[in-house]
């Protein structure tokens, strides 16, 4: 077992002339990605508005960078206690032994645009009636406009018996927890790939960020077992929360076929409720009652909800599928709050039917700001967020499928003719493992 496995390049995709040409084409296509429609029209708008951005993750930083560039004279304040910045799409790569934990960790400060005020605290209370947010130390921040970008809360506490301090020990993995958690998960998974046994994979019964990640981690584990000659000694089970493996039917079917081909057993309508870390048994709620599944390695993916400050505020949906977990009640096309017109919600916190990927953030933020800046005297806002969500789904080391879709479950390929959707391609693997991080960083700086 190693602490960090050297990426298995070239894996089924040598740097042949043909592959290099394809890579060049993908690079060109990436570079040609529209800088997003609203940005193209953006001009600096003079304004003295007070704008508060709550949260300085992917969506908060992208928002702040664009606001500072597009507005002249506005007072923009960003509120977040977190000093480290996590490139979360890389967590799967860390947990797959392909990148070190340092690959996904940087600092919030390095992406903050000049001239912004950073309050290094969390928001404790949102009061959209009074147009103020209050920080945990009691500081009141009045605003004219508020952009909420707090991401989501990983609710490990709601799994009875779960203890995140034990990730990495006794076969317990969780790729979502943190960079350190992802690295510890790699240690546990690598041991499992050496020894074989029962591998258990699952997803929660809530909205979640990057719903492809639990699926791809199952594929990655399967491939390590094969490469180490131990697949015959292992049984892999994926517990789906409902009757499908993914919310987009054509993707669900493709994954179902690949799992069947690779011998991954699927249990539908299994929602994890408890774990016994000593006995190595997970408990699931099923239509037939409680079911216990023993494991030698497990990737725990916790329920995900709006952070407490948002859940306790009037900003969440009051009814419907997004109400119980507190997701923000925003218009799905403009990301503007449905009851508080001077409030927008972007990123994972938005209560919209798709999204919850960094790729969605790239499209949501310019749309929300197009509408916000129109209110401040900018050009009339016409842009619309169509639900664009994207996930490069690794299906084995060296291959991935680019899955891109919209609110209506249409596949919306960004690179037609270069990257075919739902095909296991080396080029998509290269994109996931090498090209996406620079694009993400550009997005934080408001340039992509
Ligand atoms: C394992 C994993 C794999 C993923 N894979 C992909 C992928 O392949 N492709 C992809 O596009 N996306 C992927 N994602 C999803 C992507 O990382 C998220 O969708 C994206 O980071 C969302 O951005 P955000 O700003 O909404 O939330 P975040 O980036 O999580 O930032 C939220 C910020 O809000 C702050 N905050 C929270 N509460 C408060 C408060 N009360 N006051 C102030 N600040 C607060 C937090 O400290 C944090 O800094 C993955 C995520 C994970 C975990």
């Amino acid at each position: 077992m190693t602490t960090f496995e050297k990426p298995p390049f070239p894996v089924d995709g040598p740097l042949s002339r043909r592959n290099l040409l394809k890579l060049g084409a993908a690079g060109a296509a990436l570079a040609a990605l529209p800088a997003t429609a609203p940005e193209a029209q953006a001009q600096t708008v003079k304004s003295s508005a007070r704008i508060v951005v709550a949260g300085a993750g992917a969506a908060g930083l992208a928002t702040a960078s664009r606001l500072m560039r597009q507005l002249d004279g506005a007072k923009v304040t960003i509120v977040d206690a977190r000093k480290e910045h996590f490139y979360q799409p890389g967590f799967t790569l860390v947990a797959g032994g392909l990148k070190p934990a340092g690959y996904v960790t940087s600092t919030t400060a390095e992406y903050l645009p000049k001239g912004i005020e950073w309050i290094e605290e969390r928001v404790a209370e949102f009061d959209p009636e009074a147009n103020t947010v209050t920080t945990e130390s009691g500081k009141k921040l009045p605003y004219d406009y508020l952009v909420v970008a707090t991401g989501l809360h990983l609710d490990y506490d709601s799994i009875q018996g779960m203890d995140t301090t034990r990730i990495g020990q006794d076969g317990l993995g969780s790729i979502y927890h943190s960079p350190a958690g992802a690295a510890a998960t790699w240690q546990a998974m690598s041991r499992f790939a050496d020894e074989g046994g029962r591998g258990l994979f699952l997803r929660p019964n809530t909205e979640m960020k990057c719903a492809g990640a639990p699926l791809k981690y199952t594929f990655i584990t399967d491939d390590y077992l094969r490469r180490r000659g131990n697949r015959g000694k292992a049984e892999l089970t994926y517990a789906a929360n409902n009757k499908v493996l993914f919310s987009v039917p054509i993707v669900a079917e493709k994954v179902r076929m690949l799992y069947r081909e690779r011998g991954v057993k699927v249990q539908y309508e299994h929602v994890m409720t408890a774990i016994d870390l000593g006995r190595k048994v997970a408990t699931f709620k099923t239509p037939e009652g409680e079911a216990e599944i023993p494991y030698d390695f497990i990737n725990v993916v916790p329920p995900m909800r709006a952070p407490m400050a948002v859940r306790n505020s009037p900003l969440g949906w009051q009814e419907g599928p997004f109400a119980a977990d507190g997701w923000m009640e925003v218009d799905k096309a403009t990301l503007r709050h449905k009851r508080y017109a001077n409030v927008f919600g972007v990123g994972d916190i938005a209560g919209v039917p798709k999204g919850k990927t960094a790729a969605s953030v790239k499209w949501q933020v310019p749309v929300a700001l197009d509408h916000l800046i129109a209110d401040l005297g900018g050009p009339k806002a016409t842009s619309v967020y169509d639900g664009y969500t994207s996930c490069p789904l690794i299906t084995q080391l060296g291959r991935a499928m680019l899955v891109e879709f919209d609110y209506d479950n249409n596949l919306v390929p960004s690179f037609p003719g270069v990257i075919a959707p739902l095909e296991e391609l080396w080029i998509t693997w290269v994109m996931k493992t090498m090209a996406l991080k620079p694009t993400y960083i550009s997005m934080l700086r408001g340039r992509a």
Side-chain angles (χ1 to χ4, degrees):
M1 190 189 52
T2 51
T3 47
F4 160 54
E5 191 125 319
K6 203 167 178 311
F9 289 115
V11 180
D12 306 322
L15 288 172
S16 64
R17 192 165 171 271
R18 211 171 101 232
N19 275 334
L20 281 172
L21 282 173
K22 279 203 254 169
L23 184 56
L30 266 176
L33 251 189
T36 63
E39 231 274 299
Q41 311 154 2
Q43 283 164 1
T44 308
V45 170
K46 278 200 184 307
S47 168
S48 56
R50 296 161 304 171
I51 305 174
V52 170
V53 181
L61 287 168
T63 298
S65 297
R66 282 175 179 267
L67 281 174
M68 294 307 285
R69 221 184 36 239
Q70 289 177 236
L71 293 177
D72 176 8
K75 177 168 171 28
V76 183
T77 305
I78 193 162
V79 190
D80 194 332
R82 188 183 279 172
K83 290 181 177 45
E84 286 175 306
H85 181 82
F86 299 147
Y87 170 59
Q88 297 171 51
F91 284 15
T92 321
L93 302 175
V94 174
L98 300 159
K99 302 278 185 193
Y103 176 75
V104 295
T105 311
S106 53
T107 62
T108 301
E110 67 199 85
Y111 308 113
L112 286 174
K114 276 205 186 76
I116 197 163
E117 182 189 15
W118 177 21
I119 296 189
E120 295 180 49
E121 287 191 55
R122 291 166 67 83
V123 172
E125 197 188 329
F126 293 93
D127 185 349
E129 299 289 346
N131 293 322
T132 55
V133 301
T134 307
T135 67
E136 283 180 334
S137 74
K139 202 177 283 172
K140 274 205 183 329
L141 304 171
Y143 61 79
D144 299 306
Y145 281 85
L146 169 69
V147 182
V148 181
T150 55
L152 52 73
H153 171 63
L154 298 171
D155 197 359
Y156 285 101
D157 289 346
S158 67
I159 302 172
Q160 199 192 328
M162 180 62 190
D163 178 355
T164 55
T165 66
R166 291 182 51 189
I167 295 172
Q169 298 166 33
D170 301 322
L172 176 64
S174 186
I175 63 172
Y176 276 76
H177 183 263
S178 58
T185 298
W186 160 239
Q187 299 297 326
M189 189 267 263
S190 183
R191 268 192 298 273
F192 172 68
D194 283 339
E195 292 162 10
R198 291 158 302 195
L200 183 52
F201 302 83
L202 56 112
R203 60 148 290 164
N205 196 29
T206 57
E207 297 293 317
M208 64 178 295
K209 51 184 161 188
C210 197
L215 297 169
K216 60 185 134 172
Y217 201 58
T218 314
F219 281 121
I220 293 171
T221 306
D222 168 78
D223 202 16
Y224 272 112
L225 283 160
R226 285 173 200 278
R227 282 164 191 272
R228 295 185 188 176
N230 295 326
R231 185 63 180 92
K233 290 200 275 175
E235 187 183 292
L236 301 186
T237 302
Y238 187 90
N241 64 312
N242 56 22
K243 292 184 164 108
V244 291
L245 284 166
F246 200 77
S247 68
V248 180
I250 190 170
V251 180
E253 183 54 15
K254 178 79 190 194
V255 174
R256 191 188 69 76
M257 283 164 58
L258 288 173
Y259 274 5
R260 197 178 54 187
E261 207 177 284
R262 312 259 162 100
V264 176
K265 191 172 143 198
V266 179
Q267 293 282 9
Y268 292 100
E269 297 186 274
H270 273 53
V271 178
M272 187 181 168
T273 54
I275 188 163
D276 185 329
L277 298 174
R279 281 170 60 227
K280 292 194 180 178
V281 172
T283 304
F284 292 83
K285 199 172 103 202
T286 80
E288 286 79 42
E290 270 194 357
E292 285 197 339
I293 306 185
Y295 63 84
D296 295 294
F297 172 74
I298 186 170
N299 178 33
V300 173
V301 185
M304 303 187 195
R305 316 185 197 284
M308 244 349 166
V310 179
R311 287 175 74 192
N312 289 339
S313 79
L315 294 174
W317 281 91
Q318 310 293 294
E319 55 185 29
F322 302 125
D325 292 323
W327 306 110
M328 261 180 85
E329 186 179 352
V330 294
D331 175 73
K332 69 179 194 172
T334 63
L335 289 319
R336 190 193 286 272
H337 200 279
K338 283 180 166 252
R339 286 173 283 118
Y340 302 103
N342 61 341
V343 178
F344 290 81
V346 286
D348 294 345
I349 190 62
V352 295
K354 294 281 195 289
K356 303 211 189 329
T357 63
S360 313
V361 168
K362 178 179 181 303
W363 292 95
Q364 289 177 355
V365 168
V367 169
L369 295 191
D370 194 28
H371 289 267
L372 190 161
I373 289 170
D375 286 7
L376 301 179
K380 187 169 179 287
T382 52
S383 59
V384 160
Y385 172 61
D386 67 1
Y388 179 84
T389 308
S390 161
C391 173
L393 221 166
I394 295 171
T395 52
Q396 55 182 285
L397 301 179
R399 300 269 156 164
M401 301 190 297
L402 187 54
V403 174
E404 300 171 283
F405 50 89
D406 65 11
Y407 282 137
D408 299 323
N409 292 335
N410 296 313
L411 294 182
V412 286
S414 293
F415 313 110
V418 179
I419 299 185
L422 299 183
E423 274 192 36
E424 295 180 80
L425 300 173
W426 176 76
I427 194 77
T428 312
W429 160 264
V430 172
M431 191 180 149
K432 168 73 188 167
T433 53
M434 293 199 245
L436 281 187
K437 189 175 163 191
T439 309
Y440 174 91
I441 302 291
S442 293
M443 177 183 86
L444 300 185
R445 299 192 194 284
R447 296 197 202 112

